[in-house]
Amino acid sequence: EKTGKVIHQNTLWVKTINANGKISNINWSMIYLALRTATNSTYPGYLWHEAVHWDPRAKHWIILPRKQSNTGYSPDDDEMRGTNLLIIANEDFTDIKVSKIGPIEKQYGFTAVRKVPGSNNLYLALKVKEVKDVTHSKICLFDLNGTM
């Protein structure tokens, strides 16, 4: 809710679809809690992420949160919760490392990330700004050391 009260935990589930089209629902609440703990975003704080990439060769997850807060949700404050966080996690999320990419831009948060084909650790990411009636997007190239 706009007050920050949790009304359900439906967003803590993910869906997988196999090659035959079978859909599975998986409860990721413990994984999300581990990510929130690693980023100091536990309740009443929050971590909002859309930019997630699994690297099958390196066997790690790359997660770039869109927004992060260690305090409760407020619609006005939320517009300034953009992050520059880079989360790298192993396959089962038992090893989570958090670092930063470039400077913080509080109005911008990550919305997509993909590995650059043929590279070892170069990634492209989209960042978006949605403040009041203003919307901007930009693209950035970074490595896993956090260099933009």
Side-chain angles (χ1 to χ4, degrees):
E1 288 188 349
K2 290 183 180 183
T3 64
K5 178 184 173 197
V6 176
I7 55 174
H8 62 74
Q9 295 189 345
N10 296 346
T11 58
L12 301 180
W13 289 71
V14 297
K15 290 185 181 291
T16 61
I17 304 172
N18 73 13
N20 298 321
K22 181 179 184 254
I23 298 172
S24 298
N25 297 302
I26 305 167
N27 183 346
W28 265 31
S29 60
M30 296 309 296
I31 292 170
Y32 290 133
L33 178 59
L35 293 171
R36 291 175 64 200
T37 299
T39 59
N40 191 30
S41 308
T42 55
Y43 186 82
Y46 57 93
L47 189 67
W48 171 1
H49 35 83
E50 301 168 5
V52 179
H53 180 75
W54 167 249
D55 185 333
R57 287 197 313 181
K59 299 217 179 296
H60 61 220
W61 293 94
I62 302 299
I63 302 167
L64 304 174
R66 181 167 179 177
K67 298 184 180 195
Q68 184 268 337
S69 178
N70 58 9
T71 60
Y73 176 81
S74 154
D76 291 332
D77 293 343
D78 187 64
E79 291 183 341
M80 299 299 287
R81 299 282 191 226
T83 78
N84 63 340
L85 296 178
L86 164 63
I87 302 170
I88 303 172
N90 65 347
E91 189 169 6
D92 62 0
F93 293 89
T94 55
D95 183 24
I96 301 171
K97 294 180 177 51
V98 180
S99 60
K100 297 184 177 178
I101 302 170
I104 184 78
E105 298 174 284
K106 293 185 178 198
Q107 295 180 339
Y108 282 88
F110 293 102
T111 60
V113 61
R114 288 294 176 263
K115 188 172 187 179
V116 174
S119 71
N120 287 328
N121 73 343
L122 286 178
Y123 292 80
L124 281 172
L126 295 178
K127 292 184 91 175
V128 68
K129 169 185 174 178
E130 294 176 320
V131 177
K132 306 288 181 234
D133 294 329
V134 176
T135 302
H136 290 153
S137 294
K138 56 184 169 179
I139 192 167
C140 58
L141 176 71
F142 67 95
D143 65 25
L144 295 184
N145 295 320
T147 303
M148 237 186 215

